[in-house]
Structure formats: C-alpha cells, structure tokens
Amino acid sequence: MGGSGQRVVMVIFGGVRRAETFSPQGLVNIPHLSGDLLSQSLFYRDARNEGVTAHFNAVSSILTGNWQRVDDWGKLAPTTPTLFEQFRKGLGAAQSDTWVVASNKALTSLIGASSAMDYGPAYGANVVFPKQLMIAAVVNALRTGRSRNMADREKVQTELQSMLEAGNYEGLGWSVFDGTERLDPRVRDTITEAIATFARGGGPTSGDELTFLVGREVMRKFSPRLLVVILSDVEAAHFGSYAMHLGGIRTGDRLCYQMWQEIQANPDYRDKTTLVILPEFGRDPDGSSTNGFFNHRGDTESTRNTWMMALGTAVDKPRIIERPIRHVDVCASLAALLGCPPMDTQGVRLSELRV
Ligand SMILES: [Zn+2]
C-alpha cells in the first residue's frame, strides 16, 4: 500500500457567509466549530473562492487544485485530475480508498473523476448521493400508490431496499465507478444499513443527517484513506428561508463535530487523520440585487471570502492564520499529506500543514 499512511477526511459545506458563521454575531450558529474545535485547529481566517461561485465548479476547484469553469450543473467532468485520481494512479490506491458522499443535488457523479487524458473514471472515487436515493424512493413509492403517507418511513425503507436489490441504479443519482451494472454487495449493504439507521432514528432529520450517516458507515466498513463529505442543508437559502438556512448551518456545525468524534473513536482513523472543513463559498451581501443570502452569484467579498479549519495529524500547533489562502491551495496540500507525488496545479501547498 503506497503513500504516507495518513488519512484525509474533508467536509465541504455549501455556501455560508462570514456574517452567519465566524463573526461576532454568527458564532451562536456554530457552537461546535467555534467552541469545541477552533482551539485545537489550524484556522485559516481568509480562504478565498476566486473561481466560479456555483456548486459543481467550486467543489471541482477544491478537488483538483485548479479553478474549474465547466458546466454549473455537473454535465461535464473537471478538466484536470482530481485528488482521487492522483492518489489512485500515483500510489496505486484502491477505489474503495476514495469516496465522495454528497447531499448536494447540483453535483453529479462526474465530481469523482476528471476528463483529463491518462486519468478519468478508471482512477475515480466511489460517489454516493444518499439524499437523492431517499428522494427517488419516496417518489417511486408515491407514484406506484404503495405509500400514501410521506412520513411512513417503514415503507420508504422497504422501497429503498427493494430498489437497491433490483439492480437498476440508473436515475437514482448515484453511481459506483466499477464499470458494471451491479453494485458491489458490500457497498449496497453499507448504504442500506445507513438508510435503515436513518429511517429508525425518528426525530427531526435532514439530507445532511443521512449523508453523515452514510459517510460514517463508509468509514466503518471500507475505512477509506480519502473521504469527502459534502453537506448542503444550508442551500435551503435558495428558497428564501433564512431560518432554514441557519438551521442548515447548525446541523452542519454539529455534524462536523460528530465527524471529529468519529475520527477519535475509530482506531483506523485516530491519530493518523487530518480533518479539513470549509464552505464552498459565501453568499451574496444583504441589499444586493441578487437577494442577499438567497444566492451566491455576486463578485463580492461576502460571496468569495470564507474560512477553512484543519484538525488532527497535520496540525502541529493550533493557531489562527491571517494570511489569505485560495481554495485551489487545498488540493496540493492534501495530496502531500497522503504522500502523493507533487501535483501540477494553480494552487500552492499550505506550509502550515505538517506532512
Ligand atoms: Zn446554492
């Protein structure tokens, strides 16, 4: 097994402004990030998205280290190799070592591998969209008249399981890059188990809760060396609900903390993992022509300027870094942690992260 033996878990939020997070009035929304994690972290106060502030391009830029300008809705793969491909091709890492688990419906499975020559899906990550899987099951249950009650989770669960068994995964919004119609049974069982846990849980739930549970199951079953979890409850902002947006921030804050706790509790991850947490971008400023927090289209500081937190093995000494960094700097830095050969990217390695 090539590489450094180090592991990387990255949690990417959707768009959150500084105003609602790391600002004096925003701290109330992020009690875990600011209260439990900040003091043990390397915190980059000024992490910039200088590319396209749309979801697919933003995540692609983080994952490739180059500002990507492909289709906003994920119809085209990133044009330069992702961290997954570099890791797999450069070090011979297995597909089961690289995963993306995402809530965001603006992403597609093309987030897992680039269209670059000599790379591509053969070296791509497993990509799973648990929320789309759940939604598809609910829609199917309603359409076929077998469940008239959206809240009937038992039936939804049965639907999901039968759909997973059926082997037709087309249109469910997720795929596994194994080049076959059939899922690896272990992958299928892992997803089924996480969804069953979600369905049994009761209480308020959300797409990000499900994404977290699936991510955690993937860690427990496959122990990937590189896991990227993409949360998007905060994107309820597009519907104009400030309360739901803040609710999404609070959920993400708690799930980041639960992820850190899982890393501490899981012997495969404890003491050899770096957890990196960052938003994709901010959101537009209040009073802007694009309706403020609803959107993230403005070429403004509120939209481009955000933050990044690193925890774990790569953190030599907890501190706050004032120097601005760019999202394209993240990829080269994580590649170095994993022991990948240096990547040719627009970004530069962050010297504060200890390799
Ligand atoms: Zn959005």
Side-chain angles (χ1 to χ4, degrees):
M1 189 160 83
S4 62
Q6 299 294 321
R7 287 158 188 262
V8 170
V9 177
M10 178 154 54
V11 179
I12 304 177
F13 267 82
V16 294
R17 301 189 294 196
R18 187 173 300 280
E20 282 81 17
T21 55
F22 283 100
S23 70
Q25 72 275 24
L27 294 180
V28 66
N29 301 315
I30 51 166
H32 296 296
L33 287 170
S34 66
D36 297 309
L37 299 179
L38 181 63
S39 62
Q40 8 176 0
S41 79
L42 196 54
F43 185 73
Y44 292 89
R45 194 193 288 282
D46 189 2
R48 303 189 60 82
N49 181 329
E50 293 177 352
V52 180
T53 56
H55 298 286
F56 193 88
N57 278 299
V59 175
S60 296
S61 299
I62 293 168
L63 294 179
T64 61
N66 291 302
W67 297 115
Q68 298 289 329
R69 295 181 183 279
V70 293
D71 177 70
D72 279 351
W73 302 101
K75 295 194 183 87
L76 296 167
T79 56
T80 60
T82 59
L83 181 57
F84 312 114
E85 295 159 85
Q86 294 281 354
F87 184 41
R88 291 195 56 203
K89 184 167 185 179
L91 296 174
Q95 183 182 40
S96 59
D97 265 326
T98 57
W99 286 74
V100 178
V101 184
S103 301
N104 196 323
K105 65 185 175 189
L107 303 177
T108 69
S109 58
L110 293 179
I111 203 72
S114 71
S115 58
M117 186 118 63
D118 302 326
Y119 290 88
Y123 301 103
N126 289 295
V127 181
V128 181
F129 294 100
K131 188 178 176 182
Q132 293 185 4
L133 194 63
M134 190 70 135
I135 291 167
V138 172
V139 168
N140 188 53
L142 290 174
R143 191 173 51 222
T144 57
R146 274 176 283 164
S147 169
R148 285 181 297 178
N149 181 357
M150 293 271 284
D152 188 340
R153 290 184 173 156
E154 285 295 322
K155 283 183 184 163
V156 168
Q157 187 187 341
T158 309
E159 285 300 317
L160 275 168
Q161 280 168 345
S162 69
M163 288 175 80
L164 283 165
E165 298 291 342
N168 176 18
Y169 311 108
E170 211 61 40
L172 290 186
W174 67 300
S175 62
V176 176
F177 291 113
D178 61 2
T180 67
E181 276 291 308
R182 296 197 62 78
L183 277 178
D184 179 328
R186 285 182 70 212
V187 173
R188 188 192 60 203
D189 293 348
T190 298
I191 308 293
T192 308
E193 196 172 318
I195 287 173
T197 303
F198 180 75
R200 277 196 303 267
T205 54
S206 74
D208 284 348
E209 299 276 359
L210 177 60
T211 291
F212 172 78
L213 282 174
V214 170
R216 195 178 66 185
E217 278 306 302
V218 164
M219 290 169 78
R220 292 177 180 178
K221 292 280 160 45
F222 299 93
S223 188
R225 288 191 276 170
L226 171 58
L227 169 67
V228 177
V229 175
I230 303 172
L231 305 177
S232 72
D233 281 0
V234 298
E235 296 301 319
H238 287 301
F239 301 120
S241 170
Y242 191 65
M244 283 174 70
H245 175 59
L246 293 184
I249 295 174
R250 286 175 176 274
T251 301
D253 173 72
R254 175 170 50 77
L255 295 177
C256 285
Y257 186 47
Q258 286 179 245
M259 179 57 81
W260 178 241
Q261 291 175 314
E262 176 66 16
I263 288 168
Q264 302 309 305
N266 183 327
D268 286 344
Y269 288 87
R270 187 175 49 233
D271 300 331
K272 51 191 157 199
T273 302
T274 301
L275 172 64
V276 176
I277 302 165
L278 77 166
E280 294 168 36
F281 30 68
R283 305 193 84 83
D284 295 349
D286 290 337
S288 66
S289 60
T290 53
N291 270 338
F293 78 95
F294 282 36
N295 288 314
H296 38 80
R297 293 202 292 257
D299 187 9
T300 67
E301 279 298 290
S302 174
T303 315
R304 297 204 174 279
N305 176 262
T306 177
W307 45 265
M308 184 174 99
M309 179 180 278
L311 294 144
T313 315
V315 179
D316 203 11
K317 183 173 74 179
R319 61 198 151 131
I320 293 173
I321 309 293
E322 304 285 350
R323 171 176 59 85
I325 63 165
R326 302 175 302 160
H327 280 181
V328 290
D329 299 334
V330 177
C331 189
S333 309
L334 300 186
L337 293 183
L338 292 166
C340 295
M343 289 175 68
D344 181 20
T345 69
Q346 291 171 337
V348 294
R349 261 183 58 189
L350 302 171
S351 57
E352 296 86 2
L353 290 170
R354 181 182 58 187
V355 172

Short mmCIF file of all heavy atoms in Angstrom, two decimals, residues 55 105 131 135 232-245 283 290-296:
data_model
loop_
_atom_site.label_atom_id
_atom_site.label_comp_id
_atom_site.label_asym_id
_atom_site.label_seq_id
_atom_site.Cartn_x
_atom_site.Cartn_y
_atom_site.Cartn_z
N HIS A 55 -21.95 25.50 -7.42
CA HIS A 55 -21.54 24.33 -6.64
C HIS A 55 -20.56 23.40 -7.35
O HIS A 55 -19.54 23.05 -6.80
CB HIS A 55 -22.78 23.54 -6.19
CG HIS A 55 -23.66 24.33 -5.31
ND1 HIS A 55 -23.34 24.60 -4.00
CD2 HIS A 55 -24.84 24.96 -5.53
CE1 HIS A 55 -24.29 25.34 -3.46
NE2 HIS A 55 -25.20 25.58 -4.37
N LYS A 105 -27.65 18.34 -4.64
CA LYS A 105 -28.23 17.85 -5.89
C LYS A 105 -27.68 18.58 -7.11
O LYS A 105 -27.95 18.18 -8.23
CB LYS A 105 -29.74 17.95 -5.85
CG LYS A 105 -30.28 19.35 -5.77
CD LYS A 105 -31.78 19.32 -5.62
CE LYS A 105 -32.29 20.75 -5.43
NZ LYS A 105 -33.68 20.83 -5.07
N LYS A 131 -29.13 11.38 -0.35
CA LYS A 131 -30.39 12.15 -0.35
C LYS A 131 -31.19 11.86 -1.62
O LYS A 131 -32.41 11.67 -1.57
CB LYS A 131 -30.05 13.64 -0.26
CG LYS A 131 -31.22 14.56 -0.06
CD LYS A 131 -30.66 15.98 0.05
CE LYS A 131 -31.73 17.03 0.14
NZ LYS A 131 -31.11 18.37 0.19
N ILE A 135 -34.94 10.38 -1.87
CA ILE A 135 -35.99 11.10 -2.59
C ILE A 135 -36.56 10.23 -3.70
O ILE A 135 -37.78 10.13 -3.88
CB ILE A 135 -35.43 12.42 -3.17
CG1 ILE A 135 -35.14 13.40 -2.03
CG2 ILE A 135 -36.40 13.04 -4.18
CD1 ILE A 135 -34.31 14.60 -2.43
N SER A 232 -25.28 20.06 2.32
CA SER A 232 -25.95 21.14 1.58
C SER A 232 -27.27 21.60 2.20
O SER A 232 -28.03 22.31 1.55
CB SER A 232 -26.19 20.73 0.13
OG SER A 232 -27.21 19.77 0.05
N ASP A 233 -27.55 21.24 3.46
CA ASP A 233 -28.78 21.77 4.08
C ASP A 233 -28.82 23.29 4.05
O ASP A 233 -29.91 23.88 3.97
CB ASP A 233 -28.89 21.30 5.55
CG ASP A 233 -29.39 19.86 5.68
OD1 ASP A 233 -29.66 19.23 4.64
OD2 ASP A 233 -29.51 19.38 6.82
N VAL A 234 -27.66 23.93 4.12
CA VAL A 234 -27.63 25.41 4.13
C VAL A 234 -28.21 25.99 2.84
O VAL A 234 -28.61 27.16 2.81
CB VAL A 234 -26.20 25.96 4.33
CG1 VAL A 234 -25.64 25.54 5.69
CG2 VAL A 234 -25.27 25.56 3.20
N GLU A 235 -28.25 25.17 1.78
CA GLU A 235 -28.73 25.68 0.49
C GLU A 235 -30.25 25.87 0.46
O GLU A 235 -30.81 26.35 -0.54
CB GLU A 235 -28.27 24.77 -0.64
CG GLU A 235 -26.75 24.75 -0.81
CD GLU A 235 -26.18 26.14 -1.09
OE1 GLU A 235 -26.80 26.88 -1.88
OE2 GLU A 235 -25.14 26.49 -0.50
N ALA A 236 -30.93 25.54 1.55
CA ALA A 236 -32.35 25.93 1.69
C ALA A 236 -32.50 27.43 1.52
O ALA A 236 -33.59 27.93 1.25
CB ALA A 236 -32.88 25.49 3.05
N ALA A 237 -31.39 28.13 1.64
CA ALA A 237 -31.39 29.58 1.42
C ALA A 237 -31.95 29.95 0.05
O ALA A 237 -32.57 31.01 -0.11
CB ALA A 237 -29.97 30.14 1.55
N HIS A 238 -31.76 29.09 -0.94
CA HIS A 238 -32.27 29.39 -2.29
C HIS A 238 -33.80 29.52 -2.31
O HIS A 238 -34.36 30.14 -3.20
CB HIS A 238 -31.85 28.31 -3.29
CG HIS A 238 -30.40 28.37 -3.66
ND1 HIS A 238 -29.82 29.47 -4.24
CD2 HIS A 238 -29.41 27.45 -3.54
CE1 HIS A 238 -28.54 29.23 -4.46
NE2 HIS A 238 -28.26 28.02 -4.04
N PHE A 239 -34.45 28.88 -1.33
CA PHE A 239 -35.91 29.00 -1.25
C PHE A 239 -36.32 30.25 -0.47
O PHE A 239 -37.50 30.50 -0.26
CB PHE A 239 -36.51 27.76 -0.59
CG PHE A 239 -36.21 26.49 -1.33
CD1 PHE A 239 -35.52 25.46 -0.71
CD2 PHE A 239 -36.60 26.35 -2.65
CE1 PHE A 239 -35.22 24.30 -1.41
CE2 PHE A 239 -36.31 25.19 -3.35
CZ PHE A 239 -35.61 24.16 -2.73
N GLY A 240 -35.35 30.98 0.01
CA GLY A 240 -35.65 32.23 0.69
C GLY A 240 -35.91 32.12 2.17
O GLY A 240 -36.32 33.08 2.80
N SER A 241 -35.65 30.93 2.75
CA SER A 241 -35.90 30.77 4.19
C SER A 241 -34.62 30.98 4.98
O SER A 241 -33.73 30.11 5.00
CB SER A 241 -36.46 29.38 4.47
OG SER A 241 -36.48 29.17 5.88
N TYR A 242 -34.56 32.13 5.64
CA TYR A 242 -33.37 32.43 6.45
C TYR A 242 -33.30 31.46 7.64
O TYR A 242 -32.22 31.00 8.01
CB TYR A 242 -33.45 33.87 6.93
CG TYR A 242 -32.17 34.38 7.55
CD1 TYR A 242 -31.01 34.51 6.79
CD2 TYR A 242 -32.13 34.74 8.89
CE1 TYR A 242 -29.84 34.98 7.35
CE2 TYR A 242 -30.97 35.22 9.47
CZ TYR A 242 -29.82 35.33 8.70
OH TYR A 242 -28.66 35.80 9.27
N ALA A 243 -34.46 31.13 8.21
CA ALA A 243 -34.49 30.22 9.37
C ALA A 243 -33.97 28.84 8.97
O ALA A 243 -33.19 28.22 9.70
CB ALA A 243 -35.90 30.10 9.92
N MET A 244 -34.37 28.35 7.79
CA MET A 244 -33.89 27.04 7.35
C MET A 244 -32.40 27.09 7.01
O MET A 244 -31.66 26.13 7.23
CB MET A 244 -34.69 26.56 6.13
CG MET A 244 -36.06 26.02 6.51
SD MET A 244 -37.05 25.64 5.06
CE MET A 244 -36.19 24.20 4.42
N HIS A 245 -31.96 28.22 6.48
CA HIS A 245 -30.52 28.39 6.20
C HIS A 245 -29.73 28.30 7.50
O HIS A 245 -28.74 27.56 7.59
CB HIS A 245 -30.30 29.73 5.50
CG HIS A 245 -28.86 30.06 5.27
ND1 HIS A 245 -28.02 29.25 4.54
CD2 HIS A 245 -28.10 31.11 5.70
CE1 HIS A 245 -26.81 29.79 4.52
NE2 HIS A 245 -26.83 30.90 5.22
N ARG A 283 -22.12 33.82 0.61
CA ARG A 283 -23.38 34.13 -0.09
C ARG A 283 -23.40 35.63 -0.33
O ARG A 283 -22.60 36.36 0.25
CB ARG A 283 -24.60 33.67 0.73
CG ARG A 283 -24.58 32.22 1.12
CD ARG A 283 -25.92 31.73 1.65
NE ARG A 283 -26.80 31.35 0.56
CZ ARG A 283 -26.79 30.16 -0.05
NH1 ARG A 283 -25.93 29.22 0.33
NH2 ARG A 283 -27.61 29.90 -1.03
N THR A 290 -29.11 40.47 -6.05
CA THR A 290 -29.42 39.03 -6.17
C THR A 290 -30.09 38.50 -4.91
O THR A 290 -30.04 37.31 -4.62
CB THR A 290 -28.15 38.22 -6.46
OG1 THR A 290 -27.18 38.54 -5.46
CG2 THR A 290 -27.61 38.51 -7.83
N ASN A 291 -30.70 39.38 -4.13
CA ASN A 291 -31.49 38.95 -2.96
C ASN A 291 -30.67 38.46 -1.78
O ASN A 291 -31.12 37.61 -1.02
CB ASN A 291 -32.48 37.83 -3.35
CG ASN A 291 -33.80 38.39 -3.78
OD1 ASN A 291 -34.15 39.52 -3.43
ND2 ASN A 291 -34.55 37.61 -4.54
N GLY A 292 -29.47 38.99 -1.63
CA GLY A 292 -28.69 38.68 -0.43
C GLY A 292 -28.44 37.20 -0.24
O GLY A 292 -28.02 36.52 -1.17
N PHE A 293 -28.74 36.70 0.94
CA PHE A 293 -28.35 35.34 1.31
C PHE A 293 -28.98 34.27 0.42
O PHE A 293 -28.51 33.12 0.40
CB PHE A 293 -28.71 35.06 2.78
CG PHE A 293 -30.17 34.77 2.99
CD1 PHE A 293 -30.62 33.46 3.03
CD2 PHE A 293 -31.09 35.80 3.11
CE1 PHE A 293 -31.97 33.18 3.20
CE2 PHE A 293 -32.44 35.52 3.28
CZ PHE A 293 -32.88 34.21 3.32
N PHE A 294 -30.03 34.60 -0.34
CA PHE A 294 -30.65 33.62 -1.24
C PHE A 294 -29.61 32.95 -2.15
O PHE A 294 -29.70 31.76 -2.43
CB PHE A 294 -31.65 34.30 -2.19
CG PHE A 294 -32.99 34.65 -1.61
CD1 PHE A 294 -33.13 35.07 -0.31
CD2 PHE A 294 -34.12 34.59 -2.41
CE1 PHE A 294 -34.37 35.41 0.22
CE2 PHE A 294 -35.36 34.92 -1.90
CZ PHE A 294 -35.49 35.34 -0.60
N ASN A 295 -28.70 33.78 -2.66
CA ASN A 295 -27.83 33.34 -3.76
C ASN A 295 -26.35 33.49 -3.45
O ASN A 295 -25.96 34.01 -2.42
CB ASN A 295 -28.18 34.11 -5.03
CG ASN A 295 -29.52 33.65 -5.60
OD1 ASN A 295 -29.76 32.46 -5.70
ND2 ASN A 295 -30.38 34.60 -5.95
N HIS A 296 -25.55 33.03 -4.42
CA HIS A 296 -24.09 33.15 -4.29
C HIS A 296 -23.51 33.45 -5.66
O HIS A 296 -22.70 32.70 -6.18
CB HIS A 296 -23.48 31.88 -3.67
CG HIS A 296 -24.11 30.60 -4.13
ND1 HIS A 296 -23.82 30.00 -5.32
CD2 HIS A 296 -25.03 29.79 -3.53
CE1 HIS A 296 -24.52 28.89 -5.45
NE2 HIS A 296 -25.27 28.73 -4.38
#
